[in-house]
């Protein structure tokens, strides 16, 4: 090794450690791309030509907020909110206004608990402005990112302090639900364009999505335990060779059980994400005065 680079290597290692505490990636890349793809197909004819023209970019950039977390340590906080750090459902102790929340709980606590609803509202306002001014690059940027954040807010484990089952001895549940299940069974999902709806209050609606996700947390966790218990012990795990090492992973039998017992929840949440993303884009466009974005 060239020791000239040692300080950089150490620094990089430390950065990775710092960034890694919330490393689980929302939905997985496959799902994020599908969500933006079907959201574009959901749009009304008047605003669709712009999105069709830049479809490839908007689909590809749906995953950028996740890759960006490696270079921007603040990015991770935009993807979730551990809303159960604020008391009990429906968490009325938490002011929905960001400035009021900060006055009450302090910026450090609010930001580190995740700020996805505020990020969605903020980016919707910015997308509206970009559409009004017909700034193509900004429209693509804000639309792609809104696609990611709105989708993340639909994931139950993005709304709880127990985001990876670490408090209930279910570590790894985060990627089992949002990445592994879509990877294994996504081909059989019936993803489709959805009816868009105007969002009257982008912030309030983002909180409503979060609360809806939060109400599914108990099922996500309980069904995981049921699935585990239903698979005989000798078929619960499998050994996989990875980078020359033998790793123990949960078996395909477990995943089949978990998926079956979830009874379509992952697929439903994907379709609801599609509807949510398209509705936020549509709302920005209506608020911008329904401009011809390609002009
Ligand atoms: Zn994310």
């Amino acid at each position: 090794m060239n020791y000239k680079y040692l300080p950089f290597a150490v620094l990089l290692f430390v950065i990775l450690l710092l960034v890694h505490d919330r490393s689980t990636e929302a939905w997985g890349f496959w799902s994020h791309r599908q969500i933006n793809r079907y959201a574009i197909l959901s749009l009304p004819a008047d605003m669709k030509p712009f999105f069709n023209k830049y479809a490839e970019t908007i689909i590809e950039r749906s995953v950028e907020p996740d890759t960006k977390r490696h270079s921007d340590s603040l990015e991770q906080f935009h993807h979730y909110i551990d809303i159960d750090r604020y008391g009990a459902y429906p968490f009325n102790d938490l002011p929905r206004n960001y400035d009021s929340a900060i006055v009450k709980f302090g910026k450090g606590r609010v930001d580190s608990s995740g700020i996805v609803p505020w990020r969605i509202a903020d980016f919707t306002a910015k997308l509206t402005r970009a559409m009004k001014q017909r700034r193509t690059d900004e429209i693509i940027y804000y639309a792609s990112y809104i696609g990611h954040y709105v989708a993340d807010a639909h994931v139950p484990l993005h709304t709880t302090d127990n985001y990876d089952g670490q408090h209930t001895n279910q570590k790894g549940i985060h990627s089992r639900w949002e990445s592994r299940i879509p990877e294994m069974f996504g081909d059989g999902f019936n993803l489709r364009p959805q009816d868009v709806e105007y969002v009257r209050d982008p912030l309030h609606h983002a909180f409503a999505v979060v609360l809806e996700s939060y109400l599914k947390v108990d099922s996500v966790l309980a069904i995981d335990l049921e699935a585990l218990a239903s698979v005989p012990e000798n078929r619960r795990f499998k050994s996989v060779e990875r980078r020359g090492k033998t790793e123990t992973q949960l078996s395909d039998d477990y995943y089949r059980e978990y998926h079956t017992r979830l009874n379509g929840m992952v697929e439903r949440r994907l379709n609801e994400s599609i509807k949510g993303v398209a509705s936020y884009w549509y709302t920005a466009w209506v608020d911008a005065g329904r401009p011809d974005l390609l002009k």
Side-chain angles (χ1 to χ4, degrees):
M1 177 168 179
N2 186 333
Y3 285 96
K4 195 169 73 180
Y5 295 117
L6 188 61
F8 298 104
V10 170
L11 184 66
L12 182 66
F13 179 69
V14 170
I15 288 171
L16 285 175
L17 275 184
L18 289 174
V19 170
H20 220 67
D21 64 322
R22 199 73 189 224
S23 64
T24 37
E25 267 153 8
W27 271 130
F29 287 179
W30 179 85
S31 303
H32 275 300
R33 291 186 181 114
Q34 296 294 338
I35 291 165
N36 273 15
R37 183 190 316 277
Y38 282 99
I40 292 170
L41 293 172
S42 307
L43 294 173
D46 286 356
M47 68 177 292
K48 215 181 207 167
F50 177 93
F51 282 81
N52 277 341
K53 182 171 178 188
Y54 298 106
E56 231 172 276
T57 312
I58 292 167
I59 291 165
E60 204 36 53
R61 291 188 75 181
S62 68
V63 303
E64 202 176 281
D66 275 339
T67 53
K68 200 179 160 200
R69 292 190 302 185
H70 301 299
S71 57
D72 179 349
S73 61
L74 295 179
E75 178 54 35
Q76 57 174 325
F77 305 116
H78 305 149
H79 300 240
Y80 66 92
I81 180 166
D82 294 343
I83 200 160
D84 48 3
R85 288 190 191 174
Y86 300 102
Y89 181 89
F91 313 105
N92 288 331
D93 280 356
L94 175 65
R96 280 14 178 189
N97 177 281
Y98 179 72
D99 293 333
S100 310
I102 282 189
V103 168
K104 188 163 179 186
F105 293 104
K107 186 166 163 57
R109 179 164 166 199
V110 170
D111 286 355
S112 66
S113 300
I115 56 169
V116 68
W118 294 298
R119 185 72 165 177
I120 290 170
D122 178 38
F123 269 39
T124 303
K126 286 174 172 153
L127 178 62
T128 306
R129 200 186 54 205
M131 284 178 163
K132 260 187 203 156
Q133 299 170 344
R134 295 202 188 84
R135 293 178 190 262
T136 302
D137 289 351
E138 287 183 24
I139 298 170
I140 292 170
Y141 166 68
Y142 289 119
S144 306
Y145 274 55
I146 286 171
H148 186 99
Y149 299 135
V150 170
D152 276 3
H154 281 77
V155 176
L157 292 175
H158 276 244
T159 64
T160 173
D161 190 44
N162 188 23
Y163 59 89
D164 197 24
Q166 72 276 27
H167 301 323
T168 46
N169 212 8
Q170 291 170 275
K171 225 165 166 358
I173 179 74
H174 196 104
S175 68
R176 295 206 283 278
W177 191 95
E178 71 172 21
S179 296
R180 197 74 185 108
I181 293 225
E183 269 166 37
M184 282 180 76
F185 306 103
D187 283 346
F189 287 176
N190 180 19
L191 301 184
R192 50 192 185 276
Q194 305 287 318
D195 294 333
V196 296
E197 269 169 29
Y198 180 76
V199 178
R200 253 166 232 301
D201 182 336
L203 180 62
H204 184 265
H205 187 74
F207 270 103
V209 170
V210 165
L211 292 183
E212 200 181 83
S213 292
Y214 180 79
L215 288 180
K216 299 178 195 306
V217 170
D218 280 352
S219 305
V220 167
L221 295 170
I223 297 170
D224 173 60
L225 294 179
E226 284 169 30
L228 274 173
S230 75
V231 178
E233 234 178 306
N234 61 344
R235 292 195 357 240
R236 216 171 277 168
F237 297 96
K238 65 176 180 185
S239 297
V240 187
E241 294 290 327
R242 260 181 83 185
R243 297 188 202 104
K245 281 187 189 159
T246 309
E247 264 181 24
T248 304
Q249 289 182 357
L250 281 161
S251 66
D252 293 358
D253 285 345
Y254 154 80
Y255 279 105
R256 263 189 295 275
E257 277 296 333
Y258 190 32
H259 177 51
T260 306
R261 285 162 187 267
L262 282 168
N263 195 23
M265 191 206 282
V266 177
E267 178 183 337
R268 273 195 304 283
R269 231 39 201 143
L270 278 166
N271 273 319
E272 283 155 8
S273 298
I274 291 163
K275 183 183 174 89
V277 170
S279 295
Y280 270 99
W281 291 344
Y282 171 68
T283 298
W285 179 70
V286 170
D287 288 350
R290 301 174 183 259
D292 179 350
L293 298 171
L294 285 176
K295 251 194 186 159

